[in-house]
Amino acid sequence: MSNPLAVVTGASSGIGQAIAKKLSDQGYSLLLLARSFDKSDAKSLPNALYAPVDVTNESDFSKAVNEAVKAYGAVECLVNCEGLMLLGDIADQSPSEWRQMLDVNVLGLTYGMQIVLKSMKQRNSGTIVNISSIAGIKTFPNHAAYCGTKFAVHAISEAVREEVAGNNVRVVTIAPGVVETPLLSHTTSDAIKSDYTDWKKSIGGGLEPNNVADAVYFAVSQPQSVCIREIVLAPTGQAS
Ligand code: NDP
């Protein structure tokens, strides 16, 4: 298949940007989504459409995918990589932060799956990669709401994998430990940010976004008859 279409959300920064570059280098056409690409370096990839879309708006999300399908053909691969990590103590964190994370990390990702699945099932082909986290497997202090969203990503991904296995569609969950990206910057508590930064230093720093992009491509590049259901990767120095 020449230049199959991959859709990557959260592609303006960090892990999503690295995945976009990796898939581009491997010959994919791309639809890249994020609310804004104004400050992003990910803007110069060939055969790529850039859609400034909020994934919590399912109609805008769906419209952007339909336009890319018109330009490049059916979606062969969707990588759901958008995400927010607003760390906080549940006793005093604003519920609006829980809602933002649920909307983006859970609903946005589920909209993405629904938007591409009908066609993938009809074609008996396709791969969905959901970027979860090690925080979707185990809990950490100040991560209650974030862990809730990432445990949900694991559960939804596994349930959907079972639903579409008979249609030859793969669902892959990637669970990274700490990665060097701006993800932490949106947390509002300076004390929590500072503790997290000290902890990251103490373990020798995080993975590079490229490490996660390589894991994504490893799963995607297997024959369609092989589903790598889950990859957990973390810095060697990260014990927890
Ligand atoms: P970044 O903050 O670098 O990237 C987050 C991306 O999500 C940006 O492109 C951002 O773009 C996009 N995004 C956020 N909200 C929305 C929205 N409403 N609609 C569309 N796009 C949105 O963080 P990472 O690269 O680290 O995070 C990517 C994924 O990896 C997340 O799901 C995160 O939970 C997960 N992860 C990260 C780890 C880490 O340590 N960094 C560890 C484990 C998992 P914009 O703001 O322009 O919309």
Side-chain angles (χ1 to χ4, degrees), residues 131-151:
I131 306 298
S132 184
S133 170
I134 218 162
I137 300 172
K138 62 198 294 291
T139 56
F140 297 88
N142 298 315
H143 280 60
Y146 181 70
C147 280
T149 67
K150 292 300 187 177
F151 272 66

Side-chain angles (χ1 to χ4, degrees), residues 52-69:
V53 162
D54 185 328
V55 294
T56 65
N57 183 325
E58 56 191 302
S59 140
D60 288 353
F61 194 168
S62 177
K63 215 163 103 194
V65 172
N66 288 338
E67 279 166 18
V69 168

Side-chain angles (χ1 to χ4, degrees), residues 150-161:
K150 292 300 187 177
F151 272 66
V153 169
H154 266 77
I156 293 168
S157 303
E158 178 59 11
V160 175
R161 188 193 62 71

